[in-house]
Amino acid sequence: MGSKKILAVDDSATIRKSITFILGQEGMDITEAVDGVDALAKAKAEKYSLVITDINMPNMDGIELIRQLRQTEGYKFTPIIALTTENQDSKMQEGKQAGATGWIVKPFTSDKLIAVVKKILG
């Protein structure tokens, strides 16, 4: 598959680095953002094929980021994967209502991440 631009949003540098490493090995182009505010600014400056975002973050959490992205030019139908330690149904419902395409619960394996990303990007 051609180089897909992916925005990886997480307040944990370890998680960002692991997403970048795993998907980078698949030939994808990853941009990292430290929170929702950072991610929104980057998404407005450049178009991404996929956004992978943590839910619990300072400044702007993942749910709010998803809501904001859905109202941002060019992101109405962009796939957004919520990456989180949250696996309660209420959070998942909130994420779906905000516009999340899919959900990956941490800790995740590289195989799981790759499989979900490839499925979503086709």
Side-chain angles (χ1 to χ4, degrees), residues 99-114:
T101 312
W103 206 267
I104 298 178
V105 177
K106 295 179 199 169
F108 56 88
T109 63
S110 49
D111 292 345
K112 167 94 173 149
L113 181 63
I114 292 164

Side-chain angles (χ1 to χ4, degrees), residues 14-31:
T14 312
I15 301 283
R16 288 196 310 271
K17 295 288 173 231
S18 96
I19 292 170
T20 299
F21 178 75
I22 294 164
L23 297 180
Q25 287 191 309
E26 297 296 309
M28 297 176 204
D29 179 12
I30 318 299
T31 299

Side-chain angles (χ1 to χ4, degrees), residues 9-11 52-57 61-62 83-85 106:
V9 192
D10 201 304
D11 55 327
I52 301 174
T53 182
D54 185 21
I55 294 299
N56 298 314
M57 297 181 291
D61 70 7
L83 188 66
T84 182
T85 51
K106 295 179 199 169

Side-chain angles (χ1 to χ4, degrees), residues 38-50:
D38 186 28
L40 200 57
K42 287 177 173 162
K44 286 178 175 175
E46 198 163 353
K47 179 73 178 104
Y48 294 93
S49 312
L50 170 67

Side-chain angles (χ1 to χ4, degrees), residues 4 31 39 46 57 65 73 96:
K4 298 281 188 185
T31 299
E46 198 163 353
M57 297 181 291
L65 171 62
E73 183 71 39
K96 279 199 175 73

